[in-house]
Amino acid sequence: MNANSINSISEFLLHAGTEYIVFDMGRRLTALDNQAFLDIENGSTVAPFPRQQHAWFGIVFWNKNSSNQHYIWFIKLPLDEQGLVVAASRNHFLQIIVDALGQSISDDSEAANTLPDNPYSFVPAQSLLAQFNALVRAKLNQPISASAQHVIAYVKAPQVADWQTIPLQAIADVVIRLDSMENAQEVQGSVLRNFSLFAEPFQRAFMEMAEVANVPAPLNQCMLSVLDGDEISLAALRGLSCETKNDTIYTQLVSHFEAKKLNRLDILSVIAARHFQQMDEKLLLLFFEAVAEVDNQENYNGDVFRGFFSDLVQVPQLRELVLGILRTPERSDLLASAIGTLFSQTKG
C-alpha cells in the first residue's frame, strides 16, 4: 500500500480489508455514518461538533473476514477558519500510518492498535473512554459487561448493595442501555425510585455517563432537581446534555445565568461543550456576559474570553450568532471591553 495512492483515512481502512465505525468525540459523543466521516475528512463539509479548533474522532475497525479483534484509533484533525479539516494534516497522518503499518492491519497485527507517536492521536479522559466503550459495545450488539449486574443490584437496593467496588465502565454500560436492556422498565423504575438514595459518588458518575445516552424524561427531572440545588452540580449539568433544544433546560440555564450562579470557569466550559444546542441569541449573550465577568474577576486578560469565542464561532449552527455578539447593542460595558480586547489581540 502506497501513501500516494491513498486519498483518505476511509480509503486506507477499506483498502486494508477492514470494516469500521466512526464516532465524533468533539462536543458530544455521537456515531457518524461512514459517508459523513469521509465528507468531513475530505473537507467537503464542516465538522459538526468542533472543539478547540479540531475535529475529534474515535475509529473502531476490524478484519471483516477472519477476526473478532477490534482496534481503536483516537485522532484529532486541525480545522481551518471555516471549520474544514486541514487537508495537509490529514495527509500527514495518512503518511504516518501507511509508513508504519502498510497492510498489517488486515493481518490482525497488534501494530494496528499501537500507532507510532504522532501529533494527531489523543487519549480520552476516563469518563469519555467509558462512554465510548459502552457505545461501541451497544453499536456492535455485544453483550453487556458482567459487572453491569452489580450496577443493577445497587440501583435496586442502594441501602444494602455495595457501590464502592463498581467500576465506572459498568455504570456507563448500564446507562447507555437504560432504554434497551433486558428488564429496562424495571431498571428504570428502580433508578427513579432510588435516585436520591444513591451514594453521592455513584450518583455523580451515573449523571456524567447519562450525557451521551437516551435517558427517560423522568430521569432528566431527577437531574434537574440536583441542578437546582444550592450549588451547581457539574455532573447534573453534563447529564442534562441533549441533542436538540429542550425548553426546560433552556429556561433553567437562562434563570441560573441571570442569578449569576454559572459564573465559574468549569461550569462555563461544560455549558459551551455540552449545551451549545440550547443557545439562541439571548442565552449566548448571557453566556458571553458571564465569560467576560469571569475573565475580568480572575485577571485572565482576555484569554478566557478569546478561548470561548474562538471555540464557539467554529460550531456551524452558532457561527452567525457568535459573530452577532460582536455588534449587539445590548451588551454591557464589561462585555464591550472584552470584545475590544479580543479585537486588539487579533490585530496584534
Side-chain angles (χ1 to χ4, degrees), residues 109-288:
S109 169
E110 279 298 326
N113 212 29
T114 53
L115 285 173
D117 288 340
N118 69 88
Y120 309 106
S121 296
F122 71 96
V123 178
Q126 182 186 19
S127 61
L128 180 58
L129 185 60
Q131 293 167 337
F132 178 83
N133 289 334
L135 276 177
V136 169
R137 288 174 183 169
K139 182 84 170 176
L140 296 176
N141 296 314
Q142 294 177 340
I144 197 167
S145 61
S147 55
Q149 295 305 316
H150 298 301
V151 179
I152 295 172
Y154 179 74
V155 301
K156 288 183 176 180
Q159 304 96 324
V160 296
D162 182 14
W163 63 269
Q164 297 186 65
T165 60
I166 297 175
L168 183 64
Q169 185 61 64
I171 299 174
D173 290 338
V174 170
V175 174
I176 292 299
R177 305 197 198 199
L178 202 54
D179 63 343
S180 62
M181 67 169 61
E182 186 178 354
N183 300 323
Q185 294 297 320
E186 179 186 355
V187 175
Q188 288 179 25
S190 297
V191 171
L192 298 174
R193 185 168 55 253
N194 297 323
F195 189 80
S196 63
L197 302 177
F198 295 162
E200 184 178 345
F202 180 91
Q203 186 188 81
R204 185 166 58 246
F206 197 96
M207 291 189 293
E208 288 177 355
M209 295 303 99
E211 70 181 345
V212 298
N214 293 318
V215 299
L219 180 54
N220 271 343
Q221 290 300 317
C222 290
M223 292 189 288
L224 277 169
S225 68
V226 175
L227 184 66
D228 287 340
D230 292 335
E231 187 158 337
I232 293 297
S233 164
L234 290 176
L237 199 58
R238 288 179 58 178
L240 288 165
S241 171
C242 54
E243 294 181 349
T244 58
K245 186 76 172 288
N246 181 293
D247 290 340
T248 302
I249 295 171
Y250 173 85
T251 300
Q252 289 298 320
L253 290 174
V254 168
S255 174
H256 288 325
F257 268 122
E258 291 176 340
K260 308 287 187 182
K261 292 183 67 174
L262 305 178
N263 289 19
R264 232 173 58 197
L265 185 55
D266 54 353
I267 293 174
L268 293 170
S269 296
V270 172
I271 292 172
R274 299 294 186 257
H275 290 285
F276 66 97
Q277 305 276 23
Q278 308 304 326
M279 289 186 176
D280 59 6
E281 186 175 355
K282 178 179 181 178
L283 185 56
L284 199 60
L285 180 60
L286 287 169
F287 174 84
F288 277 113

Side-chain angles (χ1 to χ4, degrees), residues 1-2 12 15-17 97-98 100-109:
M1 188 182 296
N2 188 296
F12 174 84
H15 274 256
I97 61 175
V98 171
L101 302 178
Q103 295 190 38
S104 63
I105 61 172
S106 65
D107 302 322
D108 294 335
S109 169

